[in-house]
């Protein structure tokens, strides 16, 4: 996929990651194109699926969820509790921001937004541990987000 992108495409992606709401004329100027070819390039990046969509980035702290819990999960038995089915149940929980199937000692990893440690305890007890097949967890609290970008690989 990387060969499909030239330097101008990469500039467009970086600009859109910084501000996806900018108008095409502003984007074109920032990357050194006139608006029509810039628009065509953006459309091409969308058609290729490189740009999957546009979204608002929310400030979870201002929404009342200042804490992030990082939870590793092991399953009881993969034959009886398929990993994908458990991950779908995890993804359906509103507090869960990300779900990853992982290698190593744990089967999956979730990132959870919480208001405080009491909310974390309720999440674990009333939601996570109620999912059939969850055998064990390891939870860490994020002290501070040091980097929060989609990608710098462009």
């Amino acid at each position: 996929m990387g060969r499909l992108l030239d330097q101008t495409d990469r500039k467009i992606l970086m600009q859109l990651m910084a501000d996806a709401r900018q108008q095409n004329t502003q984007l074109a100027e920032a990357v050194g194109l006139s608006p029509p070819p810039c628009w065509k390039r953006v459309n091409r990046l969308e058609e290729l699926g490189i740009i999957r969509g546009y979204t608002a980035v929310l400030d979870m702290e201002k929404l009342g969820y200042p804490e992030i819990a990082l939870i590793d999960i092991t399953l009881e038995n993969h034959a009886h509790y398929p990993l994908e089915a458990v991950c779908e149940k995890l993804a359906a929980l509103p507090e869960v921001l990300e779900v990853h199937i992982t290698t190593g000692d744990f089967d999956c990893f979730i990132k959870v937004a919480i208001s405080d440690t009491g909310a974390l305890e309720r999440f674990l007890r009333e939601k996570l541990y109620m999912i059939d097949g969850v055998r064990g967890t390891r939870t860490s609290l994020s002290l501070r987000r040091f980097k929060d970008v989609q990608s710098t690989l462009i």
Side-chain angles (χ1 to χ4, degrees):
M1 187 68 63
R3 294 181 185 179
L4 295 173
L5 303 178
D6 63 16
Q7 200 58 30
T8 303
D9 291 330
R10 294 174 197 286
K11 287 180 185 177
I12 289 170
L13 293 172
M14 293 297 287
Q15 285 292 317
L16 289 174
M17 284 174 44
D19 179 8
R21 288 182 55 148
Q22 62 186 296
Q23 297 199 5
N24 184 55
T25 53
Q26 182 183 356
L27 177 62
E29 184 178 325
V31 300
L33 292 174
S34 64
C38 183
W39 183 254
K40 285 181 182 177
R41 282 177 178 259
V42 170
N43 284 336
R44 178 179 161 269
L45 293 168
E46 291 171 348
E47 288 171 5
L48 290 171
I50 293 170
I51 298 175
R52 295 187 319 194
Y54 300 89
T55 187
V57 178
L58 306 178
D59 186 318
M60 297 308 291
E61 186 170 349
K62 290 180 180 173
L63 289 170
Y65 303 97
E67 308 298 331
I68 297 294
L70 309 169
I71 305 173
D72 292 306
I73 301 168
T74 54
L75 297 187
E76 200 64 54
N77 179 330
H78 291 132
H80 293 93
Y81 304 102
L83 185 55
E84 287 82 7
V86 172
C87 287
E88 286 174 9
K89 289 177 184 174
L90 292 167
L93 299 173
E95 301 90 343
V96 175
L97 303 175
E98 296 179 23
V99 179
H100 299 267
I101 294 175
T102 60
T103 63
D105 294 336
F106 296 91
D107 297 306
C108 60
F109 163 85
I110 59 175
K111 180 177 164 183
V112 181
I114 54 172
S115 58
D116 54 34
T117 55
L120 174 61
E121 180 186 6
R122 285 187 302 280
F123 173 81
L124 292 171
R125 209 171 3 91
E126 298 170 9
K127 295 186 178 182
L128 181 59
Y129 297 152
M130 300 306 284
I131 296 175
D132 287 337
V134 172
R135 180 180 74 199
T137 63
R138 180 180 67 184
T139 303
S140 300
L141 289 175
S142 172
L143 297 176
R144 179 172 33 125
R145 182 176 33 236
F146 197 74
K147 182 178 181 179
D148 185 15
V149 297
Q150 260 193 315
S151 177
T152 54
L153 300 174
I154 300 172

